[in-house]
Amino acid sequence: MGPFPLLDVAIEILPRCPIVTPGSSYGRRSSNCHHNLRTVSVTWKRKVSYTDNFLHKPITVAFSSRDNSNDPSTGGSEILGSEEDEILAVKKALLESQTRQEAVEKETDQLLEKLTRYEAKQKEYLATILHDKELAVSELEAARSLFNKKLEESVGEKFALESKLVLAKQDAIDLAVQVEKLAAIAFEQATSHILEDAQLRVSAAETSAVEASYEIEKQISDATEGSMLSFVEQSKIAIEKALDVAEKASAHANKAVATFTDEVYALDEIASIQSESVKLKGVVDELESHLSLARADVDNLKLELEQARARATASEIRAKNAETVLLEFQNSSMEKIIQQEGEIKLMMEKIKKDFTDKKKAASKAFKAELEGIKSAIEAAKETAHSKDNAYMRRCEALQRLLRASEAATKMWQQRAEMAESFLSKERTLGKDNEEAAYIVNGGRIDLLTNDESQKWKLLSDGPRRAIPQWMARRIGTIRPKFPPRKIDITEVSTSKFRSLDLPKLEEVWSIAQEKPKVGDTLIEHVIEKESIEKKRKALERALQRKTIQWQRTPDQTKLEPGTGTGHEIVFQGFNWESWRRRWYLELAAKASDLSQSGITAVWLPPPTESVAPQGYMPSDLYNLNSSYGSEEELKYCIEEFHSQDLLALGDVVLNHRCAHKQSPNGVWNIFGGKLAWGPEAIVCDDPNFQGRGNPKSGDIFHAAPNIDHSQDFVRKDIKEWLNWLRSDIGFDGWRLDFVRGFSGTYVKEYIETSDPTFAIGEYWDSLAYEHGNLCYNQDAHRQRIVNWINATGGTSSAFDVTTKGILHSALHNQYWRLIDPQGKPTGVVGWWPSRAVTFLENHDTGSTQGHWPFPRDKLVQGYAYILTHPGTPTVFYDHFYDFGIREIINELIEARQRAGIHCRSSVKIFHANNEGYVAQVGDNLVMKLGHFDWNPSKENQLDGKWQKFVDKGSDYQLWMRQ
């Protein structure tokens, strides 16, 4: 809506109703204010009419002192001496008023004709302006569509280039792997060939040496055996011959002896014996010659054996030389492989450099194109702005003409009202009520009829564009305080209000355009008021800190890991639908309210960019522009909390993270942003995302890749990110999401590095049920939570899910569930209260999700339990602002603070049965749940005097020690 809505229709405003009610913001009408509005249609003749109220109800009209010069009735108030003269004067005045009325009607007809012409021109102007506006909008839409198209193309090209880069990287890696495999295969083949050749040669040489030695030995043995056999044979033959000869000789000798004896002389026999001796000698000589030949053969065989041994030694030398050559070949092959790997690395670096250069060139071209589109859009905006300015100037000209016609109509209307006031005889004007013109009709007649009425239209409808919320709040702080509406004339006459001190039109425009003037009185007033307000708040905080320091002991203000001061009260500052609004700005405005209620820490929603708008599917951890607001708005919100001494707890999701890109096989496991991780950062047993890390140390979260916290680079990046959130953004502590997914030892490392003031882990586990009913013994459930806290070394607290689940059933007349067999409270608060964060509902269990909502009719009792018991209680946003129990929560927080209850306070339970529950918490507070009659003054176990602090009947009662 434009700033001059009076151009659309001409409206006649009857002065019977005020514009605004006291305390309302600029330009808002009161709901019980009904204007008598009549639209002047485009007709040539129309009479000025009045409402029926003028004919039946007497009207008291007071005129402004500035219009007294035009008053024609200064002499008409004289009292006539007789009734006839008075009647004649009244008739005369009536005739004159009738003639004047006719003249007024004629002038009104003329004004209506002019107004009709003005309206016709206005329609033409509006048609022209609308046509120009449509053209500008179409041009802007065309430019926007072109920009979106270019942006989509550039994004597509970017993703194509990135996919090509991924494919190129993968191809290069595959090529390097193949080259390495081929080199290994070639090396193995070459080595195997050489070894086989050398082994074959060695084996051949050994075989030949063995064969040669075997042949030589065989030849020697054969020759020796042959020569020996032949020698033996020859010897046998010679011996046989010698024996034969000897026998013959003995025979001859016998014969010779016989002959000699017989005196026979045998010369022939002697000659034969001599011949046989000669033959025998020849055989012996032959045998000696054969023996010498055999010895010569043996010497030859020994020489051949020595030669064979020399050849075997030469073969061994050749084999050793072959092994030396093989080692040299292996070394040279390794050097060649190393050289090839270096060349491949250089080639990969060159490819990366070329791709980076191409990417930079593409991004530079994209930025240039984007700048061109932006300049085109700016030019279109300037064109539209100039057209709007022209339209404004035309509207202002038409407005001036319309204002002149309204002034003339108003003057005749005042004269007609003056005439009717004479006829009604209700009251005459005098000097006593000359100033009452400022307050007629509730003190708003000047506001309706003067020339500055357009600025109220501006304030009611606003400028053409939306102004920031901080500027709207500033305008709201300086709005004028309107006087209350007056009912009768006596109250009007005695009112102290005479005029309205309104801001000037240029001052309103200076605020709306976010360009305050340096010398503007209005802005100086605002700055002065803000400085005074800041000083007042600083003084209040200083006094509050002094009071707190005076009340608390040094042990109570000591900080411990996971518990803060021990007096923390956490407020969950969002629900499941908070992302739909500018949540950081809305929450920052509630900082003072929360601090005054006794809240000490505010749990903020997940701050990072997320695939899901609620923030629990994070992607780029360093991008804090989320659905809840920008990074600057988040910092502003945290600064507001710190100014009210509130801790800001960040909701950090460390178990899982959503990837930015797909791998070549189509799996989303490549992360982008500053923490550009790969599949090695995902656990290997994640069934959906093909991780290459180590097995998971907890439960699997199936909606997103589960991060492997055993990797050193992952823990290093997470610790740097947490320290950045602490130092640069301003968070004081953490709420850790889904800590069941990874070991508490990693949480201990993260907490010790980031050093938060307070930390809470969400270890949400199912309770034990039997046949659909909650089991009484829930020790196993709370033991699992305690085990996780113990794994963190006690550096983190945890949500007491056990207490929440037990309260669901216990508050339905089963209060015996609130005491365990050892007489302690059930849940984690009974075993490790300083690390138990109690709660009734959060964004998961309640809100619009409603996974496990707390019984609506038992909320008051639930808060009475957790806010009066040890542990660290948590208040849910919906309960505090939307469920109508805010005052009850404030009262319970006050009782907790007055009694000095902290996270380690002792609990002594007196009753826990079907009728109710009674316990003394600390030394100064006793609380009762249920509908049975009980009073601490009648108990022998309670000493001292007790005074009832809160009495909510059957819901709960609190007593404080006097």
Side-chain angles (χ1 to χ4, degrees):
M1 183 182 290
F4 298 100
L6 290 178
L7 294 176
D8 297 334
V9 291
I11 299 175
E12 179 184 0
I13 305 174
L14 295 178
R16 275 288 177 188
C17 179
I19 287 181
V20 293
T21 60
S24 62
S25 60
Y26 276 135
R28 295 182 181 174
R29 268 75 174 175
S30 174
S31 60
N32 55 6
C33 173
H34 304 284
H35 289 277
N36 292 322
L37 305 176
R38 289 194 303 279
T39 303
V40 181
S41 62
V42 184
T43 55
W44 289 101
K45 292 183 180 180
R46 179 149 183 186
K47 308 247 180 209
V48 178
S49 61
Y50 302 93
T51 59
D52 296 336
N53 295 332
F54 273 112
L55 300 177
H56 296 89
K57 297 180 181 179
I59 300 175
T60 303
V61 180
F63 295 93
S64 176
S65 59
R66 60 186 177 184
D67 293 332
N68 286 339
S69 59
N70 297 326
D71 190 358
S73 62
T74 54
S77 62
E78 297 178 358
I79 302 174
L80 301 178
S82 61
E83 293 180 357
E84 294 179 357
D85 293 338
E86 185 177 357
I87 291 171
L88 290 174
V90 170
K91 287 181 179 180
K92 186 177 180 181
L94 183 59
L95 289 174
E96 290 178 357
S97 65
Q98 288 177 354
T99 55
R100 289 172 184 170
Q101 184 69 25
E102 292 176 356
V104 167
E105 290 178 356
K106 290 180 181 179
E107 291 183 1
T108 303
D109 292 337
Q110 294 176 0
L111 290 173
L112 287 174
E113 292 178 0
K114 290 182 180 180
L115 183 60
T116 304
R117 289 195 296 271
Y118 293 153
E119 288 179 349
K121 290 181 181 180
Q122 180 188 358
K123 287 182 179 180
E124 293 178 0
Y125 292 150
L126 287 174
T128 305
I129 290 166
L130 289 175
H131 179 67
D132 295 341
K133 187 176 181 181
E134 289 176 357
L135 289 176
V137 169
S138 61
E139 292 175 359
L140 186 60
E141 290 294 332
R144 187 180 299 168
S145 61
L146 180 61
F147 170 72
N148 292 330
K149 185 177 179 182
K150 295 287 186 182
L151 185 61
E152 290 176 358
E153 292 177 356
S154 62
V155 170
E157 292 176 358
K158 181 181 178 183
F159 279 112
L161 289 173
E162 289 177 351
S163 61
K164 288 180 180 177
L165 174 62
V166 172
L167 293 175
K169 286 182 179 178
Q170 191 66 31
D171 293 339
I173 292 169
D174 295 339
L175 180 61
V177 172
Q178 291 177 2
V179 169
E180 188 175 354
K181 288 181 179 178
L182 290 174
I185 292 169
F187 177 73
E188 290 177 359
Q189 289 179 353
T191 308
S192 63
H193 285 309
I194 294 169
L195 287 173
E196 288 176 359
D197 191 11
Q199 289 176 358
L200 287 174
R201 290 181 181 179
V202 171
S203 62
E206 290 177 351
T207 305
S208 61
V210 171
E211 289 177 353
S213 61
Y214 177 74
E215 289 177 357
I216 291 168
E217 288 177 357
K218 187 176 181 182
Q219 288 176 3
I220 291 170
S221 63
D222 291 341
T224 305
E225 289 177 358
S227 60
M228 292 298 291
L229 288 173
S230 62
F231 179 73
V232 170
E233 289 294 331
Q234 290 175 2
S235 297
K236 284 180 178 180
I237 293 169
I239 291 168
E240 288 177 355
K241 287 180 178 181
L243 290 173
D244 290 338
V245 170
E247 288 178 356
K248 289 178 178 179
S250 64
H252 284 296
N254 291 325
K255 285 181 176 181
V257 169
T259 301
F260 183 71
T261 57
D262 291 336
E263 297 180 352
V264 178
Y265 184 77
L267 294 172
D268 294 330
E269 290 292 331
I270 294 169
S272 62
I273 290 169
Q274 288 178 351
S275 64
E276 288 294 333
S277 298
V278 171
K279 288 181 181 177
L280 184 59
K281 189 177 182 180
V283 171
V284 171
D285 293 334
E286 186 178 0
L287 287 174
E288 288 178 356
S289 64
H290 281 296
L291 184 60
S292 62
L293 289 173
R295 287 176 179 173
D297 292 334
V298 170
D299 293 333
N300 291 329
L301 288 174
K302 287 181 179 180
L303 181 62
E304 288 179 359
L305 181 60
E306 292 293 333
Q307 291 176 356
R309 287 177 180 174
R311 286 196 297 270
T313 305
S315 298
E316 290 178 357
I317 293 170
R318 284 196 299 273
K320 289 181 180 179
N321 293 331
E323 289 179 357
T324 306
V325 172
L326 178 61
L327 291 174
E328 292 177 356
F329 178 76
Q330 288 178 352
N331 294 329
S332 62
S333 299
M334 289 296 295
E335 291 176 357
K336 288 182 181 178
I337 290 170
I338 292 170
Q339 186 178 1
Q340 288 177 356
E341 287 179 353
E343 291 176 356
I344 291 170
K345 287 181 180 179
L346 291 174
M347 183 177 67
M348 289 295 296
E349 290 177 357
K350 186 177 180 182
I351 291 171
K352 288 180 181 179
K353 187 177 180 182
D354 294 338
F355 177 78
T356 305
D357 295 335
K358 289 180 182 179
K359 187 176 180 180
K360 288 181 179 178
S363 62
K364 188 175 181 181
F366 173 73
K367 287 180 180 178
E369 188 174 2
L370 188 62
E371 291 294 333
I373 294 171
K374 286 182 179 179
S375 60
I377 292 173
E378 291 294 332
K381 286 182 179 179
E382 290 178 0
T383 303
H385 186 64
S386 61
K387 289 181 179 179
D388 287 339
N389 290 334
Y391 169 73
M392 289 295 298
R393 288 194 294 272
R394 294 173 187 170
C395 290
E396 288 175 358
L398 291 172
Q399 188 65 23
R400 286 193 295 271
L401 294 174
L402 185 61
R403 195 179 296 160
S405 63
E406 284 179 355
T409 304
K410 181 169 55 179
M411 180 183 67
W412 291 109
Q413 185 178 353
Q414 289 176 354
R415 293 179 181 176
E417 289 174 357
M418 179 186 66
E420 281 199 9
S421 66
F422 278 114
L423 292 174
S424 62
K425 292 184 181 181
E426 183 173 330
R427 186 173 176 179
T428 59
L429 282 172
K431 294 182 180 180
D432 295 335
N433 56 352
E434 288 180 355
E435 296 181 353
Y438 291 96
I439 48 176
V440 169
N441 225 3
R444 294 165 178 81
I445 189 168
D446 284 343
L447 182 62
L448 289 171
T449 57
N450 62 7
D451 295 338
E452 294 182 353
S453 60
Q454 286 306 314
K455 64 179 139 186
W456 293 107
K457 288 294 179 183
L458 174 65
L459 291 174
S460 64
D461 299 325
R464 286 189 303 278
R465 59 195 180 94
I467 62 176
Q469 293 187 0
W470 66 269
M471 191 63 69
R473 291 196 299 270
R474 178 174 293 180
I475 293 175
T477 57
I478 62 171
R479 66 178 183 270
K481 303 299 181 181
F482 291 100
R485 184 178 180 181
K486 308 303 183 298
I487 299 174
D488 53 7
I489 195 65
T490 57
E491 188 178 355
V492 170
S493 302
T494 58
S495 175
K496 297 180 180 179
F497 294 98
R498 287 295 179 267
S499 62
L500 297 173
D501 187 10
L502 303 175
K504 297 180 181 179
L505 189 61
E506 59 271 12
E507 293 174 351
V508 177
W509 272 111
S510 67
I511 296 173
Q513 293 177 348
E514 301 181 22
K515 294 179 180 179
K517 297 179 181 179
V518 178
D520 199 339
T521 306
L522 188 65
I523 302 303
E524 291 177 355
H525 172 69
V526 171
I527 294 172
E528 182 180 1
K529 185 175 181 180
E530 287 182 351
S531 62
I532 294 172
E533 187 67 19
K534 287 181 180 179
K535 290 179 181 179
R536 184 185 64 79
K537 289 181 179 179
L539 183 60
E540 287 181 356
R541 288 196 298 272
L543 291 174
Q544 187 177 6
R545 283 195 294 270
K546 288 182 179 180
T547 305
I548 292 172
Q549 291 175 1
W550 176 74
Q551 289 178 350
R552 293 181 181 177
T553 62
D555 293 336
Q556 291 175 325
T557 58
K558 182 181 179 181
L559 292 174
E560 288 191 16
T563 62
T565 62
H567 294 262
E568 309 300 339
I569 298 177
V570 180
F571 177 79
Q572 182 178 358
F574 65 99
N575 57 29
W576 193 249
E577 304 298 330
S578 299
W579 61 273
R580 300 182 184 277
R581 307 196 294 272
R582 302 290 292 276
W583 192 248
Y584 291 143
L585 297 180
E586 290 191 21
L587 199 58
K590 296 179 172 60
S592 176
D593 188 20
L594 295 173
S595 179
Q596 292 176 3
S597 298
I599 301 295
T600 63
V602 180
W603 162 18
L604 292 170
T608 56
E609 177 194 34
S610 172
V611 174
Q614 290 81 12
Y616 289 99
M617 299 286 282
S619 53
D620 186 0
L621 298 183
Y622 278 90
N623 184 1
L624 302 187
N625 296 317
S626 65
S627 299
Y628 298 99
S630 63
E631 180 178 336
E632 289 75 15
E633 293 172 348
L634 172 61
K635 288 182 178 179
Y636 167 73
C637 182
I638 294 176
E639 288 175 358
E640 287 293 313
F641 288 157
H642 289 169
S643 67
Q644 297 294 333
D645 294 330
L646 295 173
L647 298 177
L649 305 181
D651 198 333
V652 291
V653 183
L654 303 180
N655 174 74
H656 51 272
R657 182 184 173 197
C658 293
H660 292 73
K661 303 172 187 176
Q662 289 176 299
S663 63
N665 54 357
V667 179
W668 290 90
N669 56 11
I670 299 176
F671 302 97
K674 187 174 180 179
L675 304 182
W677 299 338
E680 64 277 0
I682 304 173
V683 294
C684 61
D685 49 357
D686 192 322
N688 303 315
F689 298 98
Q690 298 182 4
R692 299 178 186 173
N694 297 318
K696 191 167 179 60
S697 58
D699 296 340
I700 290 291
F701 181 79
H702 293 277
N706 290 255
I707 301 302
D708 181 13
H709 292 269
S710 65
Q711 302 285 352
D712 293 336
F713 72 93
V714 170
R715 296 199 306 277
K716 177 177 175 293
D717 290 344
I718 289 177
K719 286 186 284 190
E720 290 178 356
W721 177 62
L722 292 174
N723 286 329
W724 175 72
L725 290 177
R726 285 275 283 136
S727 59
D728 291 8
I729 307 302
F731 282 109
D732 302 294
W734 316 122
R735 181 264 184 187
L736 304 166
D737 181 70
F738 196 74
V739 295
R740 283 177 55 191
F742 54 102
S743 174
T745 56
Y746 302 126
V747 175
K748 178 183 179 182
E749 186 176 350
Y750 297 146
I751 290 178
E752 289 176 348
T753 303
S754 59
D755 191 24
T757 304
F758 196 78
I760 316 170
E762 184 210 18
Y763 196 95
W764 186 353
D765 199 359
S766 298
L767 279 76
Y769 291 87
E770 185 176 358
H771 304 298
N773 297 320
L774 184 71
C775 297
Y776 168 71
N777 188 351
Q778 298 292 335
D779 289 349
H781 185 270
R782 58 175 172 175
Q783 184 63 56
R784 290 193 290 271
I785 301 176
V786 168
N787 289 341
W788 180 85
I789 300 172
N790 195 37
T792 68
T795 58
S796 175
S797 300
F799 286 111
D800 192 352
V801 184
T802 314
T803 295
K804 169 181 166 59
I806 291 173
L807 283 174
H808 276 251
S809 300
L811 298 181
H812 290 85
N813 297 329
Q814 297 178 10
Y815 299 101
W816 46 268
R817 294 182 179 272
L818 298 177
I819 184 171
D820 66 4
Q822 289 76 33
K824 297 180 180 180
T826 50
V828 182
V829 74
W831 281 1
W832 204 345
S834 64
R835 301 300 187 270
V837 178
T838 55
F839 72 105
L840 301 181
E841 224 167 57
N842 57 27
H843 59 285
D844 287 321
T845 64
S847 190
T848 55
Q849 291 202 100
H851 291 163
W852 194 21
F854 199 82
R856 183 72 176 268
D857 58 335
K858 300 298 179 181
L859 277 175
V860 173
Q861 280 190 329
Y863 275 113
Y865 182 84
I866 67 172
L867 288 173
T868 59
H869 276 66
T872 302
T874 304
V875 179
F876 186 40
Y877 179 90
D878 293 358
H879 299 164
F880 193 75
Y881 283 107
D882 299 334
F883 279 38
I885 59 174
R886 174 177 171 180
E887 296 301 326
I888 296 175
I889 294 174
N890 287 339
E891 193 174 44
L892 291 169
I893 293 175
E894 182 184 359
R896 181 183 184 89
Q897 292 176 342
R898 284 195 179 188
I901 298 173
H902 50 84
C903 67
R904 296 177 179 83
S905 295
S906 61
V907 178
K908 185 177 182 181
I909 301 175
F910 296 107
H911 296 280
N913 49 32
N914 288 331
E915 295 180 351
Y917 170 87
V918 178
Q920 179 182 356
V921 185
D923 296 329
N924 302 320
L925 186 139
V926 173
M927 67 93 60
K928 177 185 77 72
L929 299 174
H931 47 76
F932 69 100
D933 187 17
W934 189 87
N935 196 318
S937 60
K938 298 179 181 179
E939 293 291 329
N940 296 327
Q941 299 175 350
L942 288 172
D943 56 346
K945 295 182 179 180
W946 298 85
Q947 182 179 3
K948 187 174 288 186
F949 184 72
V950 178
D951 186 0
K952 295 296 181 181
S954 60
D955 288 335
Y956 66 91
Q957 292 176 333
L958 302 180
W959 289 269
M960 302 285 289
R961 185 188 294 275
Q962 288 185 348

